[in-house]
Amino acid sequence: MNAWTLAEENPSGSFALDALSRIIAHIGSPGFASAALSDINRGLPAGSWSVYRTSTASAPVCYLSGSYLRRDATGHCFRAYRDGLYREDSTFEALTGNTLGIVHLTAGDVRNAGHRRMIYERHRLRERLSAARRRDDGSILTVNLYRHDDQAGFRDRELAEFGIMARGLFSAVERQIALQPECGLRNDEQALRRLAPDLAAREMDVCLRLLRGMSHDGIACDLGISATTVKTYRNRAFARLGIHRNNELFAAVLRGDEGALRSR
């Protein structure tokens, strides 16, 4: 029998596998977005990142986003994108089939002037490096790293490192998204109204997105508010519902069991 101890760092000198091992450990954590971005920055500096699904047929959905050691403007960027810019987004047109692809572009490569001005120029984004896959329904799930104007451009070595880690990073993100089931929004809203008729609009917004499996960071990005504010609305909603945890919210909505809520 042989046994040996693994080195703390990857002896090949590539940071990608080390980063992935740390990112995998965060799957399922409410702090996945910030923790994963911090791990990515151990070897591939990125000022911010986002994970969203986009389609020309329906409004995009942001699952998570965040910034590293800077003011977080990802929520403002996504709101501008969702408010109509996504319809003219041609940056993923080179993707074919449903295989994972890499897209690297600079702000100047964004052909739509409004898209370039309202997101890249307004928020001083220099480059985007994405891992993206087209789904069977035509939508595209994309994991995006952004360099800002105060950062150097991506170098060839960094692009190669991203290529090594892209598939594992994409799978980790997909798993994070899939951990909570999606439910029909309209039915969920009706169920929540029956369970707690006094839910405020923002409390409803947050609960509906929790039911879609979105993280606190993703909800903050989608609604254009801070993650701290998301938690405040969640706590208020849970107090009205008489629950304490996300799994209780899922169980109550799936059963429509008002009695179970009030008996807690």
Side-chain angles (χ1 to χ4, degrees), residues 17-252:
L17 297 180
D18 294 320
L20 283 174
S21 68
R22 293 182 172 90
I23 290 169
I24 289 169
H26 300 309
I27 294 175
S29 165
F32 176 86
S34 58
L37 181 58
S38 178
D39 289 332
I40 290 169
N41 268 273
R42 293 170 68 94
L44 184 60
S48 56
W49 81 320
S50 66
V51 176
Y52 60 85
R53 186 180 72 243
T54 185
S55 169
T56 57
S58 59
V61 175
C62 181
Y63 292 103
L64 57 90
S65 71
S67 295
Y68 185 72
L69 301 180
R70 66 182 62 237
R71 183 179 67 85
D72 186 13
T74 54
H76 296 287
C77 290
F78 184 73
R79 278 199 298 171
Y81 186 72
R82 185 191 58 199
D83 287 347
L85 294 176
Y86 72 92
R87 295 189 180 93
E88 306 297 330
D89 186 4
S90 60
T91 60
F92 298 107
E93 63 184 8
L95 293 177
T96 59
N98 61 355
T99 57
L100 187 65
I102 304 295
V103 177
H104 173 222
L105 57 83
T106 66
D109 294 325
V110 180
R111 296 201 297 262
N112 182 272
H115 188 173
R116 185 172 61 251
R117 182 180 65 256
M118 295 180 68
I119 294 182
Y120 287 83
E121 294 175 0
R122 177 173 295 180
H123 299 286
R124 303 185 63 190
L125 301 181
R126 175 190 183 112
E127 289 183 51
R128 190 186 81 203
L129 183 57
S130 305
R133 175 180 290 149
R134 191 180 301 277
R135 295 181 167 185
D136 291 339
D137 63 2
S139 67
I140 297 171
L141 182 65
T142 174
V143 178
N144 311 284
L145 304 184
Y146 300 94
R147 285 273 172 92
H148 296 242
D149 283 351
D150 61 340
Q151 298 179 293
F154 288 106
R155 294 172 292 177
D156 288 344
R157 180 189 63 80
E158 294 171 324
L159 297 177
E161 289 282 359
F162 185 72
I164 294 171
M165 75 180 302
R167 193 175 301 280
L169 176 62
F170 197 87
S171 295
V173 166
E174 284 188 309
R175 180 59 180 160
Q176 177 70 15
I177 293 171
L179 279 175
Q180 298 182 18
E182 284 196 22
C183 303
L185 283 182
R186 186 171 61 184
N187 292 337
D188 288 348
E189 182 169 1
Q190 292 172 349
L192 285 169
R193 285 295 178 207
R194 289 194 300 271
L195 296 169
D198 56 348
L199 277 181
R202 271 302 194 218
E203 295 165 2
M204 175 67 75
D205 289 339
V206 168
C207 285
L208 289 175
R209 284 158 177 78
L210 288 173
L211 289 167
R212 290 167 66 188
M214 295 174 67
S215 68
H216 291 159
D217 295 301
I219 295 171
C221 176
D222 198 35
L223 295 178
I225 58 180
S226 70
T228 300
T229 303
V230 169
K231 292 178 183 177
T232 298
Y233 286 128
R234 180 207 61 189
N235 292 341
R236 290 177 183 172
F238 282 12
R240 296 185 198 276
L241 289 161
I243 61 176
H244 303 283
R245 291 178 290 275
N246 287 359
N247 64 336
E248 294 177 280
L249 176 67
F250 283 102

